[in-house]
Amino acid sequence: MIGYFKQAIVPVLLLVLAGATGCSVQAGDRDNKSPQAEQQKDGTLSKAGLRLVALTISSGGQSHVFTVELAGTAQEQARGLMFRKELAPDKGMIFPFTETRMANFWMKNTVIPLDIIFIRSDRTIESIAANTTPYSLDPVESGEPVAAVLELAGGRAAELGIVPGDKVEWPD
C-alpha cells in the first residue's frame, strides 16, 4: 500500500510544484549543482545567490554590457525572476541550456514586464518577446531550437536597438 501511495502522490506533487513556477523555463534543463556548492571563478554572487557574469550584446556597431545572474540549475531556472519588483536597466538573467531545444516561458508570479530574448547555439538572437505581460500564463516560445534565453527589463531591447541576429557573449 505504501508503494502505491508513493507512486500515486509523487507525480501529483511534481505537477503542483511545476505549476508554481513563474517566468521560467521548463524544469529539467540543467543538473541540480548549486553555484554556491561549486567554487566561483570570481566569487561574485547576486543577492539571490546566483553567479553574476558580464554579458555583452553587439548590435549595430555598438556593444551593450549587462551584469546578469546565471540561472544554471533546474531549480534556479524554474524560479527565474519571479517575485522581483524591479530590474535595473543594466541587469538581467541568462538561462543557458545543456542542449539546444525549443524554449517555453511564462510570466506567472513575475511582477515586472520583461524582454525575453531567445539565443541560438551560435549566440545570435533568434527572436525577442518584448514587454511580456506580468502574471500572464500565456506561453512565450522561441521560434526555433535555442541554446539560451536572456531576460532584460521590459522595453530595454527596443531602447538599445537590439534585434534578431545580434550577437550575445557571456562566459560559460
Side-chain angles (χ1 to χ4, degrees), residues 121-160:
S121 59
D122 68 358
R123 297 205 175 181
T124 59
I125 295 174
E126 179 268 326
S127 63
I128 301 170
N131 277 309
T132 54
T133 305
Y135 302 107
S136 175
L137 299 180
D138 294 336
V140 179
E141 302 172 327
S142 61
E144 65 186 62
V146 295
V149 174
L150 171 65
E151 293 179 341
L152 300 176
R156 193 69 175 132
E159 281 177 24
L160 298 174

Side-chain angles (χ1 to χ4, degrees), residues 50-61:
L50 300 178
R51 181 175 157 209
L52 293 170
V53 298
L55 179 141
T56 303
I57 300 176
S58 300
S59 176

Side-chain angles (χ1 to χ4, degrees), residues 15-114:
L15 285 173
V16 169
L17 290 173
T21 61
C23 187
S24 62
V25 69
Q26 296 170 0
D29 291 312
R30 299 286 288 186
D31 59 26
N32 284 317
K33 287 188 230 168
S34 167
Q36 295 88 332
E38 296 179 13
Q39 180 70 355
Q40 297 300 313
K41 291 181 183 175
D42 62 4
T44 306
L45 298 177
S46 70
K47 290 179 184 178
L50 300 178
R51 181 175 157 209
L52 293 170
V53 298
L55 179 141
T56 303
I57 300 176
S58 300
S59 176
Q62 295 185 333
S63 293
H64 307 288
V65 180
F66 300 88
T67 300
V68 299
E69 293 175 274
L70 182 69
T73 68
Q75 183 179 17
E76 292 163 352
Q77 290 183 357
R79 179 144 178 106
L81 290 171
M82 289 191 316
F83 307 109
R84 306 267 183 110
K85 294 183 180 171
E86 58 186 17
L87 184 62
D90 63 340
K91 304 291 187 217
M93 184 174 283
I94 186 80
F95 300 75
F97 305 142
T98 55
E99 295 180 7
T100 301
R101 64 170 190 78
M102 296 297 291
N104 186 356
F105 281 59
W106 64 356
M107 295 291 289
K108 182 178 180 180
N109 297 322
T110 306
V111 180
I112 55 177
L114 299 172

